[in-house]
Amino acid sequence: MVTRLWHCSAIRLGGRGVSFGILPAGRTLDLALDFWPFGYFWESDISNIDGETRGLKSSQRRALERTFRRKVPPEAVATPELARHLAGISHDLGRQVGVLLDRRGSVSRVLLGDVRQIEIPDLGRIRAGTGRFRGLRLVHTHLRGEGLTTDDLNDLALLRLDLVAMIQVEADGEPGRIELAHLAPTEGLATASPETEAEVDPFVRVEAPNIFQLDFAFDETVEALEAEYARLVRGRAGRAERERALVVAVSPDDHHFEETLELVRSAGVEIAGTIRQRRARVHPRTVVGRGKLSEIILEGMRQGASVAIFDIDLKPAQARAFEDATGLKSIDRTQLILDVFAQRATSGDGKLQVELAQLKYALPRLSEKDERLSRMGGGIGARGPGETVLEVGRRRIRDRIRKLEQRIDHLSRQRDTRRSRRRSSGIPVLSIIGYTNAGKSTLLNALTDSDVEAEDKLFMTLDPTSRRLRFPREGEVVITDTVGFLSDLPKDLVTAFRATLEELADADLLLHVVDAADERLEDKLSAVNAILEDLDVESVPCLIVLNKQDLVSAEKIDALVKRHDGVAVSASAKTGLRTLIRRAESMLGGRKGELARQALGDSPR
């Protein structure tokens, strides 16, 4: 509470209080509650009251100010005197009135709402520590006979309050029924089945006919609650060292969400829980609605999660607003894909291209992080000693981007030289392409008897791998495994890997590997074809390779082969490879001889 120390040489008695000669007009001090030494007194500042105070009478203002003088024992939620005081003011104003009490029982803030609700101001960052709450409890009045509302419970979760208590104001202005709620440290909603999810209440509720009959030890309960949350988090930390994340689905597409889960597993992040957001459109500020924010906070606390991963891309402002509201680090789809790529990159080319994509992604988020830090714009309030940390950071990122682009251009020219030599040798080139995790690396291993790393994870192959293969009639060919594709692949990533992907234009034949057992086969085919079109390589001959035929019925695989004019194989079982080689050799046709003639300068007529 902000107070002012006033000095005076004379006082004037009269009316309901004591007026001092030098006080501003209308300022009085009620001696019924306080006595100060002659010549000095402390005056409360109305600005300490959060809410709309315009239009209040002087007596109403003073009544609100006197709330700061109340004290509550640490073991009590509130005292009868405080309940009576709040109920009386609320009845007089016809508005909800509340207080935020700290653990010592002192009034930290006085809140003034309307007839329906109270708006809690920004309380700053949460206290540090595992399983810690904010150390504040909300005690407020209700006027319409309703119990704790959804907004009350959302405030409890979003702000991590110790508890929320509601005091019903009776018709005569006296306090009536009291209801309170605090968080329950149960294994949460994310792990509940759809049948039992509605039965899992994340709150413990306590009611009493009046405050005199309320049997609730506040200090013991909160201490035990924080200890239980800390125990749950420490227990999980002892079982796993990986980062734990809540995966938040905003897209209505179930398949899109399943793909996000696969990306999270490929990133090596432990999935602490999943949460689906069912709404017509994305919330413009926090991505999800207020109720879902509350659920995310509760699940994050219960499951020991420190990260929330979204299945869509977030705007910088949305990511900041979500992090401020929940205390969780937010990761969107592009960041997740970039993280997977960063882990998979092993060659110098791959690492450079991933770093370039990461910096291009980070630059606008750094520049929009806090415009108030910038002093480059000039004008009042923007003059200073020069560049701030923000400008320095942006400049360094731009410099690094330019250097990376120069190095990648240099490597691209080197690849052009190698491709020219390969073309002059007349050796045909086959490039294996396809959606990620379709079995491309497994097919390369099966055809060339290689040991390229292949796992049931997304983007296991990031750097192109080339091997030689001998065809029965056409002789030696080069077969290359490329990076896998993905629907809605980040533009910065496609741009960074364009130099690598452009090698597909020099291929004599594309082997488009498709997971024949995937129910989204057609969608993934379309996604890959769209990327090929963007790269201007759709004119290169392409053979559809329907992999995993051993997981599909004979009737279905035959229908797929006819529909796509493809070849069915099982790379893991090494079946159908001879048919694939014969078909590829047939499509190459006389391409090897044509390349040889071009190398000798004999252009075909």
Side-chain angles (χ1 to χ4, degrees):
M1 178 179 64
V2 179
T3 55
R4 295 194 189 99
L5 181 64
W6 295 80
H7 174 73
C8 63
S9 57
I11 61 173
R12 181 174 64 254
L13 297 176
R16 298 173 55 190
V18 180
S19 298
F20 290 76
I22 63 170
L23 286 179
R27 295 289 192 178
T28 63
L29 181 65
D30 193 344
L31 291 182
L33 294 177
D34 292 276
F35 174 79
W36 301 98
F38 182 83
Y40 294 90
F41 76 99
W42 291 93
E43 180 203 19
S44 299
D45 194 334
I46 195 67
S47 64
N48 295 306
I49 300 172
D50 294 290
E52 181 55 67
T53 59
R54 289 179 298 180
L56 295 182
K57 299 178 182 178
S58 297
S59 59
Q60 294 170 335
R61 288 172 179 262
R62 292 195 302 272
L64 288 169
E65 291 172 0
R66 288 198 298 271
T67 308
F68 285 103
R69 302 167 187 164
R70 301 289 174 175
K71 186 78 173 179
V72 176
E75 69 276 5
V77 174
T79 61
E81 292 77 17
L82 176 62
R84 188 177 299 110
H85 178 75
L86 295 178
I89 298 176
S90 186
H91 182 264
D92 182 35
L93 295 176
R95 299 161 66 178
Q96 290 189 12
V97 177
V99 291
L100 288 174
L101 299 169
D102 59 25
R103 296 277 176 89
R104 297 171 299 178
S106 300
V107 176
S108 174
R109 287 177 181 266
V110 175
L111 310 175
L112 181 60
D114 55 28
V115 69
R116 296 181 303 273
Q117 64 182 5
I118 278 180
E119 183 175 346
I120 301 178
D122 182 18
L123 300 179
R125 296 183 63 85
I126 190 69
R127 299 184 306 159
T130 303
R132 298 290 295 276
F133 296 151
R134 190 173 291 275
L136 295 173
R137 60 188 182 275
L138 171 65
V139 179
H140 69 303
T141 61
H142 277 194
L143 296 165
R144 295 183 166 185
E146 74 277 20
L148 288 173
T149 65
T150 301
D151 286 337
D152 292 331
L153 299 177
N154 284 338
D155 286 336
L156 171 62
L158 292 173
L159 301 176
R160 297 196 193 182
L161 299 175
D162 293 348
L163 63 75
V164 169
M166 178 281 304
I167 299 173
Q168 181 62 44
V169 179
E170 301 295 344
D172 59 358
E174 290 296 316
R177 183 175 65 91
I178 183 170
E179 179 184 355
L180 63 87
H182 63 78
L183 299 181
T186 55
E187 297 293 338
L189 296 171
T191 56
S193 64
E195 294 77 13
T196 62
E197 183 174 353
E199 302 174 4
V200 179
D201 191 348
F203 306 103
V204 173
R205 306 165 193 258
V206 179
E207 295 186 43
N210 53 63
I211 195 168
F212 294 100
Q213 301 182 44
L214 179 63
D215 184 15
F216 186 83
F218 169 75
D219 53 350
E220 295 178 2
T221 302
V222 172
E223 183 179 353
L225 191 62
E226 285 191 332
E228 179 65 11
Y229 269 107
R231 184 192 64 80
L232 290 173
V233 174
R234 286 196 302 269
R236 295 188 185 92
R239 294 196 302 266
E241 297 180 357
R242 292 187 299 171
E243 200 168 22
R244 293 175 60 84
L246 293 177
V247 184
V248 183
V250 180
S251 171
D253 188 350
D254 292 336
H255 296 298
H256 183 81
F257 182 53
E258 289 298 324
E259 187 173 85
T260 302
L261 294 177
E262 287 300 318
L263 283 168
V264 174
R265 296 186 186 101
S266 297
V269 177
E270 184 176 354
I271 298 176
T274 61
I275 293 179
R276 303 297 299 267
Q277 170 70 86
R278 305 288 186 182
R279 58 183 295 147
R281 61 186 181 89
V282 175
H283 193 283
R285 184 172 181 271
T286 56
V287 188
V288 296
R290 183 177 175 83
K292 194 60 65 174
L293 278 177
S294 174
E295 183 180 338
I296 290 172
I297 290 175
L298 294 174
E299 285 307 304
M301 294 179 68
R302 293 192 193 96
Q303 306 299 340
S306 59
V307 180
I309 299 177
F310 289 86
D311 64 344
I312 62 171
D313 285 337
L314 306 181
K315 298 177 181 178
Q318 288 177 325
R320 290 197 303 274
F322 176 84
E323 292 176 353
D324 291 341
T326 64
L328 298 174
K329 181 173 66 174
S330 63
I331 300 293
D332 64 10
R333 177 179 169 84
T334 294
Q335 282 179 288
L336 179 60
I337 295 174
L338 289 174
D339 185 81
V340 174
F341 270 56
Q343 294 183 48
R344 299 288 189 267
T346 56
S347 69
D349 291 20
K351 292 179 180 179
L352 289 177
Q353 291 171 121
V354 171
E355 183 183 356
L356 177 61
Q358 289 177 323
L359 291 177
K360 286 187 174 181
Y361 176 85
L363 182 59
R365 283 150 181 82
L366 177 65
S367 63
E368 296 182 22
K369 186 172 183 181
D370 193 346
E371 293 298 338
R372 292 173 299 173
L373 297 177
S374 177
R375 295 190 180 273
M376 299 297 286
I380 185 169
R383 301 179 180 92
E387 283 186 314
T388 65
V389 174
L390 181 61
E391 275 86 33
V392 172
R394 285 195 301 224
R395 178 166 50 80
R396 288 179 176 174
I397 288 180
R398 291 192 184 99
D399 291 343
R400 181 61 178 168
I401 287 175
R402 281 193 292 269
K403 291 180 181 179
L404 288 173
E405 288 175 339
Q406 292 172 358
R407 293 177 64 182
I408 290 175
D409 288 342
H410 176 69
L411 293 172
S412 179
R413 289 192 294 270
Q414 290 181 336
R415 281 194 295 269
D416 287 339
T417 302
R418 289 196 295 269
R419 288 200 300 268
S420 298
R421 292 174 181 172
R422 191 164 58 215
R423 285 193 297 267
S424 64
S425 67
I427 299 177
V429 177
L430 282 69
S431 290
I432 302 177
I433 63 170
Y435 210 84
T436 181
N437 206 28
K440 299 184 300 300
S441 298
T442 305
L443 179 62
L444 177 67
N445 289 336
L447 289 172
T448 63
D449 196 23
S450 302
D451 58 353
V452 175
E453 186 176 9
E455 292 186 30
D456 187 17
K457 292 182 179 180
L458 304 186
F459 298 116
M460 278 307 300
T461 300
L462 186 60
D463 300 306
T465 303
S466 298
R467 296 290 186 270
R468 289 180 180 266
L469 177 66
R470 181 168 293 278
F471 278 2
R473 294 195 308 271
E474 296 297 330
E476 196 173 68
V477 299
V478 173
I479 184 167
T480 301
D481 181 19
T482 60
V483 62
F485 295 161
L486 193 72
S487 61
D488 301 324
L489 202 61
K491 293 183 178 179
D492 287 339
L493 203 55
V494 175
T495 302
F497 277 81
R498 180 172 292 274
T500 299
L501 296 174
E502 283 176 349
E503 291 194 13
L504 300 176
D506 292 320
D508 298 285
L509 178 64
L510 300 179
L511 300 181
H512 185 169
V513 181
V514 180
D515 184 352
D518 193 336
E519 59 183 16
R520 297 184 59 221
L521 180 149
E522 300 296 338
D523 293 337
K524 292 182 178 181
L525 266 172
S526 300
V528 173
N529 290 333
I531 296 176
L532 294 177
E533 185 176 350
D534 290 340
L535 295 172
D536 296 327
V537 295
E538 71 274 12
S539 60
V540 179
C542 183
L543 172 61
I544 301 296
V545 181
L546 297 159
N547 190 25
K548 306 181 184 180
Q549 67 169 354
D550 52 327
L551 302 180
V552 183
S553 65
E555 294 79 9
K556 182 176 181 179
I557 200 68
D558 289 341
L560 289 174
V561 168
K562 292 179 182 178
R563 184 189 309 165
H564 298 288
D565 190 23
V567 176
V569 302
S570 173
S572 59
K574 296 186 177 181
T575 59
L577 299 183
R578 292 183 180 275
T579 304
L580 171 60
I581 291 175
R582 286 196 299 268
R583 181 70 182 278
E585 191 174 33
S586 174
M587 293 184 69
L588 283 174
R591 180 63 172 165
K592 183 178 179 181
E594 181 182 346
L595 291 174
R597 288 194 301 273
Q598 290 178 359
L600 295 173
D602 183 14
S603 300
R605 294 180 174 81

